[in-house]
Amino acid sequence: MSPLAAWLRAQCDGLRERRVRGVLWIAADPGTALTRAGAWIAAGDWRAPLWVGPASERVSPDIPRIAASRARSRLGQEHDLVVVDAASPQGGFDPDAFGALSGTVLAGGWLVLLTPAHWLTPEAGPWRGDADYRRLTQWPHAADILKARYLRRVARGLTAAEAVAVWTPDAALPRAGRATLSAGGPAQAQTPPSTPTSRDTDCLTADQAEAVARLTRLRRRRPLVLVADRGRGKSAALGIAAARRLQQGERQLWVTAPSREAVAPLFARLVALLPEGRVDEAGFTLALAGQTAQITWLPPERVLPALEEAEVDPHSPPTLLVDEAAAIPAPRLIRWLERFPRLAFATTVHGYEGTGRGFEVRLRERLDRLTPGWRRLRLSAPVRWAEGDPLEALTRDLLCLDAEAASAETVAASAVSHAPQVVWLDREALAADPERLAQVFGLLVQAHYRTAPSDLRHLLDGPEVMLPAVMLGETLVAIAVVQPEGGFDAALAEEIHQGRRRPRGHLMAQSLAFHGGHLDAARVRWWRLMRIAVHPAWRRRGVGSQLLAAVAEEAGAAGVGRLGVSFGAEPGLIAFWRRAGFVSLRLGLTREAASGEPALMLGRGLTPVARDALATMAMDFRLLLPDLLSQAARDLDPEVAAALLWEGEPDPASSVVEARLAWFAAGGGELALVRPWLRQAWLDWWRRQPVPGGEVASVKADNAPGGDAASALGTPSAIATAVAALFQGHDERLSDDGRRGRQESARALARGLLAAAGEGGDMVKPAPGE
């Protein structure tokens, strides 16, 4: 047995005894690092190894290999060895891949990280971006000129981590970390307390057993919110509970998550507990007591449309189990909360999949209001490894997964002696200040539905990124991430406009030039607000407006005439940016992977010339919007469509339109013959209504002078129904009672519009020639 094999065997014995994972850091030149990784693989008896990085002749073809970009495909799988090649010239450290794959390593297994030798001395410089920094580049910047503050931070974390085994260039064997065994010696750390066991034979911990019990007895309008760190068995708990619900007589359950890979453990438990069943792309099916029982997999965008299918009782839909809920936009979760009497949300508190902290902050108020009987359960005990696992601790540290915004108490105390002040953070200082960095990243994580580990790298090293913030003394209460865009020369702008060139980055400038047809958008300079976050304890105090005002002032001083923003279309966000003076410019035709909604781009002009240009672009968008809603955006949520349609000046209907509506309301004609006039009258009424707060909320009664018929126009349900039927061709939304019911509902809409116009008077303008 070779010395390395003997050393490795001793380490593995210690890891298995303690039920933890080992971390080996090989820091050397690429050739040496790859050779040592090959020797490590040969020295062990690996059942499920994985190599992550570029192909290499030094890696055995018998070892499965994936590119770092394919790391998500391994979520839900298990490996006893994962080798991450960040040393090769074409490799690089991919934070997202590291975060995703660290959770797939089994207790007793190893994660091996290869890096360049200079990582051993993080304070030496200069540091430059590696090959993976190509994902950060934006024209005209190249990856090798970007500063690597993030990589230096990772190197500092590795050198400080006592639990990591290190193999330096001048050493014959690795130096053991304190969480493993030294060669031939005793354990170097105390054995952690054992994980509490469960009396439930299907569950591995008492936490998991309690979760299964609560999931199995879900009651109407009492949703369960299940939160856990990675490796706590929450997805498996969903699978165990789903199996038991079927055994208790339930015949249809729905499961959704941001990706099918995220619920692989759920379906694995179903197969283990109900082996007579069958798993396919549609979900899980088996025969019980002569009946077919199904657990149906639905992508998030298919959940609400599935409720409209004929075989589904809208008053008693299937139980809905939502995994990795933090990675799904809160407005979508809220709509599910309104439509499903029985449902459970499960999410990761820390980790690659999303953030449970922001999820709970955004959802708690709505849970309290809509379903005050909801319950929260946290799974604390690890299932896949023991407490004190060194790889889990290292991953949290390197990827800043434990980042927390300042506490509400800290914010309140700071506000006593400090007024809010806008500062522009220096990224060099921020990278060297762990406490301030944790506040910044924690606030961004809390505010956004999806924050990946690579976002921290972009924050520190993205080209030209700016970080304006609002501070109360030393306490952060608001932060924005600003990215310059545009400024292409005339020739390149024309190439972009014609679709012949697509330089890296510059999302808004290029999209508006090519998809929107606005050549000028590529030539002028923009500042795009990529993120903006305000501390929950300091919202509705004008801090967000103060921050935006500072950004606008600084942009103007820099000669930049336009601000822009792009996000997954959602009524609350649309209202926020509209109040800040932004106008809608473009709606994407496909749904974003992260938000599940089409991207909406808005802009704000900072000079008279820029304001005129954006007003023209906004007018073009309003002209196009009805066609989009009737065709490419027909499946857009009606609440979002209503928020977009509200933008623009009212256009009073003529007396001819009023006559058409009166004829229809009295029983003449049918919907297909009056839809254009109904649409015109409704749009004029809608644009006269205030839409407070951001959601498509009820219109106050004093805005509807025509009594009950007019007041009925302003309920959220009525607004959504009118948009779906008049603009999106979904007549079925008018009534469940067939064609006759739909006609009567449309006539009631006409009566409401006439009543709203009857007392106001200003809704009607003379017909041409009158």
Side-chain angles (χ1 to χ4, degrees):
M1 180 182 297
S2 70
L4 179 59
W7 186 95
L8 178 57
R9 176 175 292 183
Q11 308 303 314
C12 290
D13 288 344
L15 294 174
R16 284 190 289 267
E17 181 182 346
R18 292 166 51 77
R19 289 190 61 248
V20 296
R21 288 94 51 83
V23 184
L24 174 66
W25 176 22
I26 300 176
D29 64 85
T32 302
L34 292 171
T35 298
R36 286 184 167 180
W40 178 273
I41 293 171
D45 181 19
W46 313 108
R47 297 184 303 277
L50 179 68
W51 185 281
V52 185
S56 171
E57 294 179 355
R58 298 172 186 261
V59 181
S60 169
D62 297 330
I63 302 297
R65 186 195 70 84
I66 62 170
S69 60
R70 294 280 300 151
R72 282 185 62 86
S73 67
R74 295 287 168 155
L75 290 175
Q77 301 188 33
E78 296 179 334
H79 300 284
D80 56 355
L81 173 66
V82 172
V83 181
V84 178
D85 177 12
S88 295
Q90 298 305 313
F93 184 78
D94 181 337
D96 294 339
F98 188 90
L101 294 171
S102 65
T104 70
V105 180
L106 293 164
W110 287 83
L111 186 142
V112 178
L113 176 63
L114 317 183
T115 76
H118 72 264
W119 283 40
L120 290 167
T121 54
E123 300 314 316
W127 280 72
R128 294 297 179 192
D130 60 20
D132 198 63
Y133 269 56
R134 284 193 294 263
R135 294 196 292 150
L136 273 185
T137 58
Q138 172 164 303
W139 180 92
H141 304 280
D144 59 0
I145 69 166
L146 298 182
K147 292 186 177 181
R149 305 177 187 94
Y150 178 81
L151 293 183
R152 177 178 284 188
R153 180 187 177 278
V154 172
R156 287 187 184 122
L158 286 167
T159 56
E162 296 179 0
V164 173
V166 184
W167 200 349
T168 58
D170 57 349
L173 291 173
R175 182 184 73 245
R178 63 173 172 79
T180 59
L181 293 179
S182 61
Q188 294 181 316
Q190 295 181 353
T191 301
S194 59
T195 300
T197 56
S198 168
R199 295 181 181 179
D200 188 325
T201 56
D202 292 330
C203 300
L204 296 177
T205 66
D207 279 355
Q208 192 179 55
E210 183 178 357
V212 169
R214 293 199 184 190
L215 288 164
T216 305
R217 59 173 187 265
L218 277 176
R219 299 173 63 182
R220 287 181 65 90
R221 310 310 300 167
R222 294 191 179 182
L224 177 66
V225 176
L226 191 64
V227 296
D229 285 351
R230 299 180 70 189
R232 269 59 182 176
K234 62 171 179 56
S235 296
L238 292 174
I240 297 168
R244 292 184 181 179
R245 293 183 74 92
L246 295 185
Q247 290 170 325
Q248 293 171 1
E250 204 160 348
R251 290 296 171 260
Q252 181 69 265
L253 284 86
W254 289 355
V255 172
T256 189
S259 68
R260 179 61 182 263
E261 292 88 351
V263 290
L266 184 157
F267 285 104
R269 293 304 297 156
L270 281 170
V271 171
L273 295 172
L274 301 171
E276 63 276 19
R278 176 175 57 86
V279 173
D280 56 25
E281 289 301 312
F284 178 83
T285 307
L286 82 160
L288 278 176
Q291 292 184 311
T292 298
Q294 290 182 315
I295 297 181
T296 302
W297 154 254
L298 292 169
E301 65 273 13
R302 287 293 308 148
V303 172
L304 289 181
L307 285 176
E308 310 300 327
E309 296 177 2
E311 64 271 18
V312 177
D313 181 355
H315 303 293
S316 183
T319 299
L320 179 65
L321 303 179
V322 184
D323 204 359
E324 296 308 344
I328 299 171
R332 177 165 282 174
L333 301 176
I334 291 167
R335 288 192 289 273
W336 295 345
L337 190 64
E338 294 169 340
R339 300 291 296 275
F340 288 88
R342 289 187 177 89
L343 83 166
F345 298 119
T347 198
T348 305
V349 180
H350 303 102
Y352 175 82
E353 295 87 345
T355 167
R357 297 192 304 277
F359 157 76
E360 289 192 272
V361 167
R362 292 190 299 275
L363 203 60
R364 181 180 293 273
E365 183 273 334
R366 200 57 75 90
L367 284 163
D368 288 339
R369 182 157 60 86
L370 295 175
T371 54
W374 73 281
R375 294 291 181 267
R376 179 187 189 272
L377 177 64
R378 170 147 189 176
L379 276 66
S380 300
V383 168
R384 286 185 260 167
W385 47 78
E387 294 281 2
D389 176 75
L391 178 54
E392 181 175 59
L394 180 71
T395 303
R396 287 184 176 186
D397 178 59
L398 297 189
L399 305 185
C400 217
L401 299 182
D402 282 338
E404 297 277 0
S407 68
E409 293 77 15
T410 298
V411 171
S414 299
V416 172
S417 52
H418 298 283
Q421 181 180 3
V422 176
V423 299
W424 293 73
L425 300 180
D426 178 83
R427 293 195 288 171
E428 201 71 50
L430 185 63
D433 186 343
E435 184 176 345
R436 177 65 54 83
L437 183 62
Q439 282 192 28
V440 169
F441 199 58
L443 187 54
L444 289 169
V445 162
Q446 190 178 74
H448 201 257
Y449 50 77
R450 181 72 179 222
T451 303
S454 58
D455 290 327
L456 179 59
R457 182 175 64 176
H458 183 268
L459 194 77
L460 293 176
D461 295 329
E464 300 184 275
V465 166
M466 295 168 285
L467 301 175
V470 177
M471 308 290 298
L472 294 173
E474 293 300 310
T475 303
L476 180 81
V477 292
I479 182 75
V481 182
V482 181
Q483 175 75 65
E485 287 195 8
F488 295 101
D489 61 54
L492 183 51
E494 180 63 31
E495 293 283 289
I496 293 169
H497 180 55
Q498 298 298 331
R500 292 190 290 263
R501 291 281 301 277
R502 187 68 186 266
R504 192 168 183 84
H506 301 268
L507 171 70
M508 278 196 67
Q510 295 203 69
S511 181
L512 291 172
F514 174 57
H515 297 291
H518 303 288
L519 172 62
D520 184 55
R523 299 183 61 175
V524 300
R525 295 167 60 200
W526 300 74
W527 275 10
R528 179 163 68 93
L529 290 120
M530 300 183 66
R531 297 277 181 94
I532 186 168
V534 177
H535 196 289
W538 208 250
R539 289 176 186 161
R540 298 180 179 87
R541 296 174 185 245
V543 173
S545 298
Q546 181 184 5
L547 187 57
L548 287 175
V551 172
E553 182 179 357
E554 194 72 16
V560 176
R562 307 184 191 195
L563 301 181
V565 65
S566 176
F567 54 87
E570 182 267 305
L573 289 176
I574 295 170
F576 170 82
W577 291 106
R578 186 179 285 144
R579 287 195 299 271
F582 287 69
V583 292
S584 300
L585 304 176
R586 181 175 182 267
L587 180 70
L589 300 184
T590 59
R591 294 180 183 269
E592 290 184 313
S595 69
E597 306 290 355
L600 178 66
M601 295 180 178
L602 296 92
R604 173 183 164 188
L606 303 179
T607 66
V609 171
R611 282 191 286 272
D612 288 346
L614 292 185
T616 299
M617 294 168 67
M619 188 181 303
D620 285 352
F621 175 72
R622 291 195 294 273
L623 180 65
L624 176 63
L625 183 59
D627 281 331
L628 284 179
L629 294 178
S630 67
Q631 299 180 53
R634 191 170 182 267
D635 292 330
L636 185 70
D637 291 332
E639 293 86 353
V640 175
L644 296 176
L645 287 165
W646 183 85
E647 194 170 309
E649 294 298 320
D651 181 18
S654 69
S655 57
V656 171
V657 172
E658 184 180 17
R660 285 273 184 171
L661 263 61
W663 166 67
F664 177 63
E670 57 184 81
L671 175 59
L673 302 177
V674 296
R675 193 188 307 270
W677 295 279
L678 267 176
R679 184 187 297 132
Q680 181 182 346
W682 185 89
L683 194 59
D684 174 67
W685 167 83
W686 174 231
R687 287 177 174 171
R688 294 176 184 278
Q689 310 307 318
V691 186
E695 294 186 21
V696 179
S698 299
V699 176
K700 295 179 181 178
D702 57 8
N703 290 318
D708 291 342
S711 298
L713 291 174
T715 66
S717 175
I719 294 168
T721 296
V723 171
L726 298 182
F727 294 89
Q728 297 179 281
H730 294 296
D731 290 1
E732 69 278 3
R733 291 286 298 268
L734 288 166
S735 174
D736 295 329
D737 193 21
R739 182 176 179 276
R740 184 183 296 275
R742 292 193 293 271
Q743 288 291 108
E744 180 49 42
S745 180
R747 296 187 200 282
L749 173 60
R751 289 193 289 272
L753 292 169
L754 289 168
E759 294 188 17
D762 59 349
M763 184 178 177
V764 180
K765 65 181 179 181
E770 290 185 354

